């Protein structure tokens, strides 16, 4: 049986407004109780890949806290677990702080484990992908590298700015940017499979070409020289690459047709659990179409929202189409619509907090409004 390890690649230029001011995208709260990284980690766990390294780019504190001892994701600790791989050497140098340098700085992770294959996947693209199937297709193909893509029919609206693949007879011929000028695209899911030898060779080639090359750069550069296979993924995939897309994707999960594609009995999504009491619904609570995490206390009207742990919604308060993070409080009589309220913020003096679906309003962590 082939030995496979995973790398979660957090080296992206994605910012989610104030949500990523002090934390990476990977540890941003999602659906009230998860971190965004939980989905890719659960994919590795469910794919029986038990040895996973996380390539951390920046702001590691909240990610360290979220990961704790790494046991929450059901990895077999006898065969591996989670390793946090931080490129401290280049952490404060944007041009050199990329995924290739991170892998090279932590090359002992690969050398120690001696894998046959390595799967590299991002955290900000949410999928329910069985990596073992991709690895098997890669093994049979004899290709140097396999890139995973998904055919979408609304590329003029979604995945704008993402890479898409030009594929012919199952082989990648070109990698280009989706500018939203066509509906049908084979969108790259930034998920790759390499043999150990192929990855190490590619890293060496990248160093010889440009010290500033990241993994995407060298893959595009190597297309003429290497056989890069394309693997079509047909399951759920969506992207969080902006504050607006975070808001949209989060609220999309309130639609049962979306959430049931991800939360399946045979594909659990793991996360750290918290020792908090059940949610308390008081006399005036009216709640409809809402994800509510443990420990919340609700005495107002909440509609089409995501409510995090230990959130308080006061008597007569109205909260619609909004995401409320852990420990935040909406005081009695306040109105919140189309907003993202970060951790421990309090809505008390400004009685109406309203954004729009296209431009949701953001309240920073700990602010009193």
């Amino acid at each position: 049986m082939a030995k496979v390890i995973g790398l979660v690649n957090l080296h992206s230029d994605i910012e989610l407004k104030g949500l990523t001011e002090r934390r990476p995208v990977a540890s941003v709260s999602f659906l009230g109780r998860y971190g965004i990284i939980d989905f890719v980690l659960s994919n590795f766990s469910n794919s029986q890949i038990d040895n996973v390294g996380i390539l951390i780019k920046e702001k590691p504190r909240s990610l360290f806290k979220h990961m704790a001892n790494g046991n929450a994701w059901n990895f077999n600790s006898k065969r591996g677990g989670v390793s946090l791989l931080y490129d401290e050497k280049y952490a404060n140098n944007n041009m050199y702080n990329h995924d290739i340098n991170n892998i090279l700085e932590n090359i002992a992770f690969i050398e120690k484990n001696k894998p046959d294959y390595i799967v590299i996947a991002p955290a900000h693209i949410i999928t329910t992908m069985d990596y073992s199937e991709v690895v098997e297709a890669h093994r049979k193909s004899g290709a140097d590298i396999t890139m995973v893509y998904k055919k979408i029919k609304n590329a003029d609206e979604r995945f704008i700015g993402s890479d898409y693949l030009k594929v012919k007879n199952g082989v990648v011929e070109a990698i280009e940017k989706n500018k939203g000028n066509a509906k049908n695209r084979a969108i790259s899911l930034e998920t790759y499979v390499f043999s150990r030898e192929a990855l190490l060779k590619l890293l060496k080639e990248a160093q010889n070409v440009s010290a500033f090359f990241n993994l995407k750069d060298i893959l595009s550069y190597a297309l003429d020289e290497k056989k890069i296979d394309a693997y079509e993924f047909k399951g759920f995939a969506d992207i969080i690459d902006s504050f607006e897309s975070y808001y949209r994707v989060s609220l999309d999960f309130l639609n049962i047709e979306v959430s049931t594609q991800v939360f399946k009995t045979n594909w659990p999504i793991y996360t750290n659990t918290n020792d908090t009491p059940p949610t308390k619904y008081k006399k005036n609570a009216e709640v409809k179409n809402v994800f509510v995490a443990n420990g919340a206390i609700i005495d107002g009207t909440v509609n089409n929202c995501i409510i995090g742990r230990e959130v308080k919604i006061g008597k007569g308060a109205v909260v619609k189409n909004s995401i409320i993070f852990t420990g935040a409080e909406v005081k009695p009589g306040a109105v919140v619509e189309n907003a993202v309220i970060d951790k421990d913020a309090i809505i008390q003096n400004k009685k109406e907090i309203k954004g729009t679906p296209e431009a949701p309003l953001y309240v920073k962590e700990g602010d009193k409004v």
Side-chain angles (χ1 to χ4, degrees):
M1 184 176 178
K3 184 174 183 181
V4 184
I5 65 171
L7 291 173
V8 180
N9 191 356
L10 305 188
H11 285 268
S12 69
D13 297 325
I14 294 168
E15 296 289 339
L16 308 182
K17 214 168 184 176
L19 292 175
T20 50
E21 184 177 336
R22 298 173 56 187
R23 52 170 89 92
V25 172
S27 59
V28 171
S29 175
F30 192 72
L31 303 183
R33 64 186 301 264
Y34 300 96
I36 291 173
I37 196 173
D38 291 340
F39 294 86
V40 65
L41 289 175
S42 297
N43 286 348
F44 278 118
S45 177
N46 293 327
S47 302
Q48 306 302 311
I49 299 173
D50 290 313
N51 210 326
V52 177
I54 301 175
L55 301 174
I56 301 172
K57 179 185 179 183
E58 58 188 353
K59 306 166 190 170
R61 185 185 305 171
S62 67
L63 187 62
F64 290 161
K65 182 179 179 181
H66 180 73
M67 296 304 301
N69 58 16
N71 290 338
W73 292 269
N74 200 38
F75 293 114
N76 186 325
S77 58
K78 290 184 178 180
R79 294 204 301 262
V82 178
S83 298
L84 302 175
L85 308 178
Y86 186 51
D87 188 3
E88 194 168 3
K89 180 179 179 181
Y90 294 122
N92 297 313
N93 189 322
N94 286 336
M95 295 305 297
Y96 286 93
N97 186 15
H98 51 70
D99 43 19
I100 286 178
N101 276 344
N102 195 331
I103 296 171
L104 291 170
E105 184 70 10
N106 294 282
I107 199 67
F109 175 73
I110 295 175
E111 292 175 342
K112 179 182 177 181
N113 287 293
K114 296 181 175 59
D116 299 300
Y117 302 105
I118 299 161
V119 178
I120 301 179
H124 66 281
I125 300 178
I126 295 177
T127 71
T128 52
M129 191 182 304
D130 189 340
Y131 300 131
S132 65
E133 294 179 355
V134 188
V135 171
E136 181 60 16
H138 173 81
R139 185 189 67 79
K140 290 180 177 178
S141 73
D144 297 311
I145 303 160
T146 295
M147 301 179 68
V148 183
Y149 70 94
K150 179 176 176 62
K151 290 180 180 178
I152 67 170
K153 297 179 180 180
N154 58 346
D156 55 338
E157 300 174 354
R158 300 283 181 97
F159 288 88
I160 305 296
S162 296
D163 291 338
Y164 73 91
L165 310 182
K166 288 188 173 181
V167 180
K168 184 176 181 180
N169 298 324
V171 176
V172 180
E173 292 193 327
I175 304 171
E176 298 186 5
K177 289 291 181 188
N178 176 32
K179 298 178 181 179
N181 53 0
K183 290 187 175 182
N184 297 303
R185 293 293 192 203
I187 295 293
S188 170
L189 298 182
E190 299 180 32
T191 299
Y192 317 114
V193 180
F194 302 85
S195 67
R196 181 171 83 246
E197 295 76 13
L199 178 59
L200 295 178
K201 184 178 179 182
L202 193 72
L203 297 178
K204 186 175 181 180
E205 290 173 1
Q207 285 185 301
N208 291 332
V209 176
S210 172
F212 292 165
F213 261 26
N214 60 27
L215 194 55
K216 283 187 181 182
D217 294 330
I218 192 60
L219 285 170
S220 294
Y221 184 87
L223 277 175
D224 293 336
E225 302 174 0
K226 299 182 183 298
K227 181 176 184 285
I228 300 182
D229 264 24
Y231 177 92
E232 182 184 356
F233 174 66
K234 297 181 180 180
F236 176 89
D238 212 336
I239 187 169
I240 296 174
D241 59 356
S242 67
F243 177 72
E244 292 76 17
S245 66
Y246 168 79
Y247 174 80
R248 174 189 56 76
V249 172
S250 297
L251 295 188
D252 279 352
F253 270 73
L254 294 171
N255 182 338
I256 195 168
E257 292 182 4
V258 174
S259 59
T260 52
Q261 293 181 65
V262 176
F263 295 98
K264 300 178 287 189
T265 55
N266 64 341
W267 201 262
I269 306 300
Y270 300 103
T271 190
N272 266 323
T273 56
N274 288 55
D275 187 14
T276 50
T279 294
K280 185 175 183 180
Y281 299 95
K282 301 181 78 172
K283 183 174 67 174
N284 300 290
E286 294 184 15
V287 178
K288 183 179 179 181
N289 197 37
V290 179
F291 275 139
V292 184
N294 289 350
I297 300 175
I298 299 176
D299 199 25
T301 299
V302 185
N303 187 9
N304 207 54
C305 292
I306 294 165
I307 305 298
R309 293 186 178 96
E310 299 179 325
V311 166
K312 295 179 181 178
I313 309 295
K315 181 180 178 180
V318 177
V319 184
K320 296 181 179 179
N321 306 317
S322 295
I323 303 168
I324 316 295
F325 279 37
T326 297
E329 186 171 357
V330 181
K331 292 287 189 178
V335 176
V336 177
E337 291 187 23
N338 302 309
V340 178
I341 311 299
D342 211 332
K343 287 177 60 177
D344 300 322
I346 300 175
I347 311 301
Q348 59 180 13
N349 296 316
K350 183 76 173 175
K351 289 300 183 181
E352 287 196 358
I353 301 294
K354 293 185 178 181
T356 67
E358 297 76 24
L361 187 146
Y362 173 68
V363 176
K364 296 172 73 173
E365 179 179 352
D367 272 4
K368 292 183 178 180
V369 178

